[in-house]
């Protein structure tokens, strides 16, 4: 069971690092191309755990209001005509409101660029993600139950309802969702024709989503729990044509093009008529593949 940890936010704030921007004082003295290079270099040198917002305050409507918010509410630093706002991870959730006010001014400015953990981001989408994390963590405390992080009341997912890159639970509707990536889609056929689950790739995709979207800013996100859920997945899937089936794509078989198995899909609940039609089409694909591989004449 998860334990509430309201002190974790305070601990994170105490451990915040300071950002030194002394190395960027000469950026605005350069030409446009050189300025762009120095800007990129400076972003790369900034600490990894950081949100950085950079914008030019010259010849911009309402630049004074934006600069005031950046300097007075977000600790920004004006270097010649360029404003630098750098916020450590541990201060992002408390900074949501002034970030929203700043975005209203700078959202359409071509000079504005935003980076999170050294990657360029869409600031609007990132602020919305922060709002979700903040509201979710506060509601977790208010509702005082472990199921708040579940995807739904009976599906606990990976341990956070906002991890959406990979679906953990299989859909039981009459139609397979082809635009959804389920955990079992991350795998490969071995030399014996068995479907092997690539847990390392699943872990990499999920952890990248958590890091890029700032989900790990939530004090109640437990990476150990997520890792245990991934490790608990089966090592391989039996293609029994009852629960799982092969998925085919057209590719070269020798010098001809034909259906080749490239992945698997789970089999949702179907009507008797749909099940019979699916079995017929599946058998045709398997025979075409075996003929193309020379296994049948």
């Amino acid at each position: 069971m998860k334990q509430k940890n309201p002190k974790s936010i305070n601990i994170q704030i105490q451990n915040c690092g300071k950002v030194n921007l002394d190395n960027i004082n000469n950026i605005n003295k350069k030409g446009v191309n050189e300025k762009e290079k120095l800007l990129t270099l400076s972003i790369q040198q900034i600490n990894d755990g950081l949100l950085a917002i950079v914008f030019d305050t010259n010849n911009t409507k309402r630049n004074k209001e934006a600069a005031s918010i950046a300097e007075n509410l977000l600790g920004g630093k004006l270097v010649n005509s360029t404003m630098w706002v750098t916020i450590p991870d541990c201060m992002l959730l408390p900074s949501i409101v002034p970030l929203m006010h700043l975005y209203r001014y700078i959202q359409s400015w071509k000079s504005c660029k935003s980076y999170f953990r050294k990657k360029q981001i869409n600031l609007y989408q990132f602020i919305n993600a922060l709002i979700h994390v903040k509201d979710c963590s506060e509601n977790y405390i208010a509702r005082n139950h472990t199921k708040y992080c579940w995807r739904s009341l009976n599906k606990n997912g990976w341990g956070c309802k906002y991890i959406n890159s990979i679906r953990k639970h299989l859909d039981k509707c009459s139609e397979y969702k082809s635009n959804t990536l389920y955990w079992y889609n991350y795998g490969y056929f071995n030399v014996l024709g068995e479907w092997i689950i690539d847990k390392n790739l699943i872990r990499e995709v999920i952890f990248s989503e958590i890091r890029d979207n700032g989900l790990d800013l939530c004090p109640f996100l437990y990476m150990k729990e997520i890792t245990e859920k991934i490790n608990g997945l089966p090592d391989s899937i039996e293609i029994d044509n009852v629960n799982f089936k092969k998925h085919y794509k057209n590719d070269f078989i020798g010098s001809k093009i034909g259906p080749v198995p490239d992945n698997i899909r789970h089999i949702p609940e179907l009507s008797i008529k749909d099940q019979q039609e699916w079995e017929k089409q599946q058998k045709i694909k398997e025979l075409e593949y075996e003929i193309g591989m020379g296994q049948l004449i």
Side-chain angles (χ1 to χ4, degrees):
M1 179 181 296
K2 294 182 180 179
Q3 300 295 324
K4 296 191 294 294
N5 187 15
K7 294 182 179 179
S8 62
I9 298 178
N10 293 331
I11 293 174
Q12 289 178 346
I13 292 176
Q14 292 172 4
N15 292 333
C16 278
K18 294 183 179 180
V19 180
N20 188 350
L21 297 179
D22 292 338
N23 295 329
I24 65 172
N25 286 320
N26 295 323
I27 286 183
N28 284 1
K29 298 178 182 179
K30 305 292 183 179
V32 176
N33 293 336
E34 187 66 19
K35 180 178 177 180
E36 186 70 22
K37 292 178 182 179
L38 286 173
L39 174 62
T40 302
L41 179 61
S42 298
I43 289 296
Q44 292 174 348
Q45 293 174 343
I46 286 179
N47 295 335
D48 188 42
L50 199 73
L51 169 68
I53 304 172
V54 185
F55 58 90
D56 197 337
T57 60
N58 276 343
N59 302 319
T60 306
K61 292 182 179 179
R62 307 189 72 177
N63 60 341
K64 292 183 179 180
E65 292 91 336
S68 177
I69 294 174
E71 284 187 303
N72 300 325
L73 299 182
L74 295 171
K77 183 175 181 179
L78 186 63
V79 181
N80 296 319
S81 64
T82 301
M83 178 62 70
W84 290 76
V85 178
T86 53
I87 307 174
D89 281 3
C90 51
M91 288 301 298
L92 281 173
L93 295 186
S95 302
I96 288 179
V97 174
L99 275 173
M100 292 173 60
H101 290 315
L102 177 62
Y103 177 77
R104 292 191 181 100
Y105 290 105
I106 66 176
Q107 57 181 307
S108 61
W109 296 1
K110 294 181 179 180
S111 65
C112 178
K113 295 185 179 181
S114 304
Y115 304 82
F116 180 60
R117 294 169 176 170
K118 297 184 179 180
K119 294 183 178 180
Q120 191 162 3
I121 59 171
N122 180 301
L123 187 57
Y124 174 76
Q125 294 177 355
F126 182 75
I127 292 176
N128 276 339
L130 285 183
I131 293 173
H132 288 317
V133 171
K134 184 176 184 295
D135 291 344
C136 196
S137 59
E138 290 176 350
N139 282 320
Y140 178 91
I141 298 175
R143 300 191 182 188
N144 193 25
H145 62 79
T146 58
K147 292 186 177 181
Y148 186 75
C149 298
W150 290 17
R151 180 169 168 264
S152 61
L153 290 178
N154 58 349
K155 296 179 180 180
N156 61 2
W158 300 108
C160 172
K161 63 179 67 178
Y162 292 112
I163 298 178
N164 297 314
S165 57
I166 300 177
R167 181 73 62 84
K168 185 175 187 296
H169 292 278
L170 309 185
D171 292 298
K172 295 299 182 181
C173 60
S174 60
E175 181 180 357
Y176 174 90
K177 296 183 178 180
S178 58
N179 60 342
T180 299
L181 285 175
Y182 301 87
W183 57 266
Y184 62 77
N185 290 131
Y186 292 83
Y188 56 91
F189 289 107
N190 64 11
V191 294
L192 300 177
E194 300 170 324
W195 184 253
I196 307 301
I197 303 300
D198 192 341
K199 296 182 184 180
N200 289 332
L201 182 55
I202 295 174
R203 189 180 298 107
E204 179 181 339
V205 171
I206 290 179
F207 284 8
S208 293
E209 179 185 15
I210 291 172
R211 181 169 177 78
D212 292 345
N213 294 338
L215 297 179
D216 53 345
L217 299 175
C218 175
F220 305 108
L221 184 76
Y222 294 89
M223 302 299 287
K224 181 180 179 181
E225 177 184 342
I226 297 172
T227 300
E228 290 174 350
K229 288 178 178 290
I230 296 174
N231 293 339
L233 296 173
D235 296 324
S236 61
I237 295 291
E238 180 184 357
I239 312 302
D240 55 6
N241 290 331
V242 175
N243 299 299
F244 290 91
K245 63 179 180 178
K246 291 181 180 179
H247 176 260
Y248 291 82
K249 70 174 183 178
N250 287 329
D251 204 344
F252 281 99
I253 307 177
S255 59
K256 298 181 179 180
I257 295 180
V260 176
D262 72 322
N263 211 297
I264 65 172
R265 287 183 177 178
H266 71 277
I267 302 175
E269 298 176 358
L270 300 174
S271 65
I272 296 177
K273 180 179 179 180
D274 290 339
Q275 180 70 20
Q276 290 174 344
E277 179 62 25
W278 173 82
E279 291 176 351
K280 176 182 176 181
Q281 296 299 323
Q282 186 74 2
K283 189 61 177 179
I284 292 174
K285 290 180 180 179
E286 290 177 355
L287 289 173
E288 289 177 346
Y289 174 68
E290 291 175 354
I291 293 172
M293 295 296 292
Q295 298 174 3
L296 293 176
I297 298 177

